[in-house]
Amino acid sequence: MKKDLITISDLTKDEALSLITRARELKAMLKNGVIYQPLKGKSLAMIFAKSSTRTRVSFEVGMTQLGAHALFLSTEKTQMGRGEPICDTARVLSRYVDCVMIRTFEQSDVEDFAKFATIPVINGLTDMYHPCQVLCDLMTVQEKKDDFLNLKYAFIGDGASNMAHSWINAAATFGFELRIATPKKCMPNQALLNSARRGGAGSIIVTNDPKEAAQDADVINTDVWVSMGQEGDRNEKIKHFSGFQVDDALVGLCADDYIFLHCLPVHRGEEVSEDIFESAHSVVFDQAENRLHIQKSILLALLGVE
Ligand code: CP
Ligand code: NVA
């Protein structure tokens, strides 16, 4: 494996599959009360420039369960917030901790951090990607459906978001069929799409029609219309999403046994109706739980525990 996990594209298909397999083993061990602490004495620094519930708690609890320790660093309350350069912070933290997880705005900041850090760096979400989330989502699909490679996936929402972009990378890596329905103003990054289509085995369709994307989908997935950092443009942005709610009519087009995914937090009544979010097809809380197991699997792999 590469030193860092910055995007799903850092992983080969086999590496990604083994992260998911290991996460499921770790989940079973935890449920069976097995104590497994191969990371005793190790530390993870978690740098947050944006809010978080799941990512923060799952990484911190995951490290504790593995016998290790995690520290929460808000950019605002460290010297990063006063302008200490990334290249210096990365080199200093590399002297103290064994791994860093960063949630921030610019993808290039995580890339720079990883370039200067001598320890593994994990992307905990940027404006461009959210790789840990999509690995967890695929683990959840595998649990529910056994095989997750030969399914049809629909993503209904902001095609230019970190979630849509990570799904594009996942489709290229794993080779499944992905249909993204997004308003014309929110099309995915074209360079990413071109490269995923060129290099990947998957079929990636981008449409402005949610019905086309939802037709026969096994997995229907959405995310907030306004991501962190875009709140100032909220009123203007949500105007483009009329007709994009995952509701009864839309899921009526999906396969009968479809599952609904959402990375959370959700805006009920916007990207998804209350009924669908709370329905038996919705697996969002199992999905949220799986963040814990996939983070542990990622940490073990990057820290070299076989
Ligand atoms: N899905 C997710 O990353 O949640 P948090 O923003 O709460 O970490
Ligand atoms: N697209 C969302 C994901 C939150 C986990 C955001 O960036 O706010």
Side-chain angles (χ1 to χ4, degrees), residues 32-52:
N32 290 327
V34 177
I35 309 281
Y36 181 56
Q37 302 196 316
L39 296 185
K40 261 204 172 106
K42 305 273 185 200
S43 296
L44 169 75
M46 308 186 297
I47 301 173
F48 285 93
K50 291 177 174 171
S51 303
S52 171

Side-chain angles (χ1 to χ4, degrees), residues 7-26:
T7 86
I8 300 264
S9 311
D10 286 329
L11 302 167
T12 63
K13 181 177 174 181
D14 284 348
E15 285 168 346
L17 285 171
S18 68
L19 284 176
I20 292 170
T21 303
R22 187 137 197 223
R24 293 190 65 183
E25 287 163 8
L26 291 162

Side-chain angles (χ1 to χ4, degrees), residues 48 51-56 103 124-125 130 133 228 263-265 291:
F48 285 93
S51 303
S52 171
T53 298
R54 282 143 286 269
T55 305
R56 177 179 175 180
R103 166 168 291 197
L125 178 148
H130 196 2
Q133 180 69 53
M228 289 182 276
C263 62
L264 306 181
R291 291 296 303 279

